[in-house]
Amino acid sequence: MKFKTTQLRDAITFALVAGAVSATGTGAAFAQSEQEATTLDRIEVTGSRIRSVDAESSQPVLVLDRAAIEKQGLTSVAEVLQRISANGANINRTFNNGGDGSSTVSLRNLGASRTLVLVDGRRWVQGLGGSVDLNTIPSAMIERIEVLKDGASSIYGSDAIAGVVNIITRRDYEGAEARVYYGQFSEGDGERAAVEATLGAGNDRSNVVISLSRVEEKEVSAGDREISRVPSFRRDPVGFSGFSSNGRIWNNGVDPDNVGGPGSNSIVIRPGATGTGPANDPRYALGQFQPFAAGQDAYNFAADNYLLTPQTRTSLYMKGRHEITDNLSFVADALYNERRSEQQLAGFPLNGGVSNNDFMSGDSYYNPYNTLYGGDGRAVAWSHRLTEQERVYQQNVKTFHVYAGLEGNFEFADRFFNWDVGYNFNRSDQEDAQIGDVNVLNVRAGVGPSELRDGRVVCVDAPGGNIIDGCVPFNPLSPAGGVTQEMLDFLLFTAQDAFQGRSESFTANISGEIVELPGGMMGFAAGVESRKESGFDRPDAFVAAGFTSGNSRQPTSGAYDLDEIYAEVLIPVLADVTGADLLEFSLASRYSDYSNFGDTTNSKAGFKWKPVESLLVRGNWAEGFRAPPISTLFGGQSDSFISFGDICSEDFSGRTATIAANCAAAGAPVGFIQQTNAGFGYDGQTLYPFQVGGNPNVGPEESISKTLGLVFSPSFVENLNLSLDWWSIEIENAITTLPTAFIVEQCYAAGDQALCDLITRRSEDFQIGNIALTPQNLSVVNVEGYDFNVSYRMPETEYGSFGITLDTSYVSKYEQQTTAASEVEQFTGRYLDRDPYWRLRGNVSLDWQMGDFGATFSSRYFSSLVEPCAFGPSVCSDPDRRIATGPAPRNKLGATTYHDAQVRYNLPWDGTIKAGVTNLFDKEPPVSYTTFANSFDPQYDVPGRFMYMEYIQRF
C-alpha cells in the first residue's frame, strides 16, 4: 500500500517537537520532497499502541535521536532528560547528603514516581519508592528517546500521570563503533571518562547488537568552590556546627543539669592543649579549656562534603532478532549494568548528654570533674566532631534485564495485523556500605568509668573494680585529631545494607485495522499484561536495632501483583475534504486489578484535526492513576533528622497571641527556645530523630490530564515548524506525608488537635522529640501551563547549513492543598528547599554544518525564583516587602542562563572528533539561603566550566 508524505508530518518528526538540542541529526531521514510517493513502515509512537504511518499524534511527544543527544557532550541518560524544559526537580549527582547515587526525571515537576519510564515500550525496574534510576540505563544502547508530555495510564497503566519517557534501544545495526570521552572542570577536578564499543552484525533474517560501556565520573569537593565551602555563603560562621572538632563540655555551669542553656558556660578544649598522663593517651584539666565561641570554635562541616558525587558505571547490552518466517520473529534483549557510587560527609558530630543520655561518667579517667582531680564528680555532657574519620556512603547497584518474545503479523479479510507476546524480567540488587558511623553501645561503654592502671587507661565496672575486657576508654574531650586509632577501631563500624527491586511481566498485544471509514482505515490495539512487583530493604542488624549513630530503620519487604487489559481505537472520520484535510478521534481504556487495593479503570479520548494541510489542531483528555509503591505500603519505621521551625519558640518572628496561648496550654515554659544541632534558636535540624514509616492502607492517586495544541508548518517557509500546547493536570488523593512544619503550624496556630496528637515533646525541656510521619492519600495538586517549540532548518548556503530549535515550558499554575480541606497554596515562581518551581524553562540551540565541519551553540534558561528571608535583611533582596496581612520580606534568586558549545570534524577515515564546553561563560548559580546545602539548588550546574573531548571511530 502507498502512503503520501506531508509537510506537517515531516515537520513534527524532523523538529522533534521540541528540540532540547539541535535537531540536525534527524533531518536526513525526512529529506524526501513532498511530491515523492514513499512506502512508509507503520510505526508505534509513544502514547499509543496503534501502528500508523503518520508520525503526528493527538498528544505532544518530544523526540531526541542519537545524533541530537551526542551534541550535548553528556555521559548519562539522566543528564540528557534533566535538561528538557518540561522537567522539574530531580535527585542527581549533586545530592550528597540525602543522595544515593541514583538520578531520576520528573516531568512537570510532579515527582519522579509520577513519570513512567519505559525501555522499548516496556517497564523498567523501579526502586522501592516507585521511581526509576536512570543510571541503570547506559547511554551507549540508546537509539532515541521519546517523551510523551501527557497522561497515558489508559495505555501503559500506573505512574503515567505527568508523562512517559520511552527509551528506544539500537536495533538492526550493522558495523562497529568505538568512542572515547574525557572531560574535566576548569578547576581541574570532576573528571569524566567514558569508553564505549558497539558491534552489530546481521543477514537477511537475523541481527544482533552488542554494546559495552564504562563511565567514570570523579567527585568535586564542596571545599573547592567558593559558594559551597561554608554552610551559608558569605555568612560564616552562620550555619557552622556547634559540635566542634575540639572536645566540648556543655554543662560547665553551676547547675550540672543545665546542658547548653543560658548559664551553662559551655567550654571547649583549646587547640594545642597540654595534656597529662600517658603521652599517647592524655587527659586534659579544666585549665586547658576556654569558653565556647562560635566564631572560633564552631565547625565548618561543609568543606568536608562532596559537592558533586563520584560514580562508575559498567554495562553490557545485547539485542537480537531472528525471523523464523516472513511473518514470525523471535526477539530478545539482555542487559547487565553495575553502578558504584559514593557520598561523603564530615565526620560524625558525636555527643553524649546533648541529644541522648550518654553522659561521660564522673568516674571517667578523662573527666576533668573527676573527684580524684578535685572536681565535683559531675557527669559531663560532651560533644566531639570525629574529624579523624569522614562518613562515607557507598553503593554497589547491579541491574539485570532480560526480555524474550515473539513478534508477528498476518492478514485476515484483507486487513493487516501485528501481534507480540513476551516475558520481561528486571531486577536491581543494591549493597550499601556506611563507613564512619559509630557503635553507640561502645560509645556508652567508652565514656563510662575508667582509670589508669599500670600506665594504661582501662574501662572498669566501678572505681577500683574489675577491668571490662574488650572495652577501650574513649576521650571525646580531646583536641581535633586527638582520638586515637585504638579508640576509633573500638567506636566505629561499617554498616552493610541490602536492597532489591524486582519486576516480572507477561504481555500480549495485537493491533490492526477494522473497517474503512471516510477518513481511512479504523485502527485498533488491544492487549493484556500480568505483572508482579516486589522488593526489600534489609538494613544492617546494628542499624535495625538502633545501636548506630546514624539513622535507625526497620526492614522493609513487600510484593503485589496485578492483571490488566486494555483496548484503544483510532477513528479517522474525514480526510482530504474542504475544512478537514484530516479529522480523527482516538479512544482508549485500561482495566487494572491489583492484589492490594483493588481495581481501577482509566480511559482517554483525543482528537486530531487539520483544517488545512499545514495546520494541526490536537487535544486529549485522560484519566490516570499511580499505585502506591512498596516503600509507601510496607516501609519499616526509620529515623529521620528533619529541619523545621518550632513556632512555640519565643524567637519565632511570626509569633501571635493565639500561638503563645496554645503553646502555653501544651506546657511550654516561659522563655522556651527551640534547640537544633546548631544550638538554640528557631528553625534548624532536629537533634532528635523523628519516626517515618509505611502505611498498608494507602490507595492509588487519581488524575485528570488535558491538552490542547496547535502545530503549524507554513508552506511559504520551508522547514519552519511551530507548536503550542496547553496542558493541565489535576491530581486527587495524592500520596503525601504531612510536612513537619504543617503539622506544627496547624496544631499551635489553628488548634487542630488531631495534628497535635502526632507531636511528642520531651517532658524535661519541651523540645519536640518525635512527630509521627506516615504517608496518606490527602493532597490535591493542580498544575497548568504551556509548551512552545520552534524548529527551523534554513536553506543551504555557501556558508553551510544552519538550524535553530527552541523548546520552552511555561508553568502558569502550580497549586497544592496539603489536605482537601486546607487552603490552596500557589508554588509557581517560588523556591523551597531543594524544590524549585520555575515559571519558565527554555532551551535554544543554533546548529551549523558545512561539509565535514559542524558546531552547536546552545543556551539553557531558568527563570527567577523567590524564597523567604530566613536570616534577616542582610541577605534579603526585598526586605521591606509588604502584603495585605503585613510584612513579607523575600529574597530573589535571579534568572540563570547557561551557554554550551561544541565543535566537531568528520575525519577521512570515518572518524569524528569533538570538543566542547558546558557553561562556557562560567555562570555561577543563584545563591539561596534556604537550601539545605552548598547555598545553591542542586538542579543548577556545579560552578565552573566543564571542558571535554570525544573521539568516535566507525568500522
Side-chain angles (χ1 to χ4, degrees), residues 78-105:
E79 291 176 304
V80 173
L81 288 170
Q82 288 173 359
R83 286 190 174 188
I84 65 176
S85 66
N87 180 53
N90 313 271
I91 190 169
N92 56 44
R93 288 181 58 219
T94 316
F95 280 79
N96 183 48
N97 190 347
D100 62 357
S102 63
S103 295
T104 60
V105 59

Side-chain angles (χ1 to χ4, degrees), residues 133-150:
D133 175 15
L134 297 172
N135 288 328
T136 63
I137 305 171
S139 58
M141 64 189 257
I142 295 175
E143 179 65 30
R144 67 182 186 278
I145 300 175
E146 298 179 355
V147 181
L148 171 65
K149 297 185 285 186
D150 193 11

Side-chain angles (χ1 to χ4, degrees), residues 877-906:
S877 63
D878 193 2
D880 301 321
R881 177 175 176 266
R882 299 181 64 87
I883 58 177
T885 56
R890 67 185 184 186
N891 183 54
K892 182 177 180 180
L893 282 65
T896 302
T897 304
Y898 295 108
H899 303 282
D900 310 322
Q902 183 190 90
V903 294
R904 52 196 173 270
Y905 176 65
N906 294 325

Side-chain angles (χ1 to χ4, degrees), residues 923-947:
K923 178 70 174 180
E924 291 284 327
V927 176
S928 168
Y929 293 103
T930 59
T931 195
F932 175 70
N934 304 323
S935 296
F936 73 95
D937 186 83
Q939 305 306 318
Y940 294 101
D941 286 15
V942 169
R945 296 181 182 89
F946 185 83
M947 303 169 290

Side-chain angles (χ1 to χ4, degrees), residues 728-731 780-784 813-817:
S728 170
I729 304 172
E730 299 176 18
I731 305 174
V780 178
V781 183
N782 189 352
V783 296
E784 183 179 324
K813 178 170 66 176
Y814 197 118
E815 296 177 345
Q816 184 168 331
Q817 294 170 265

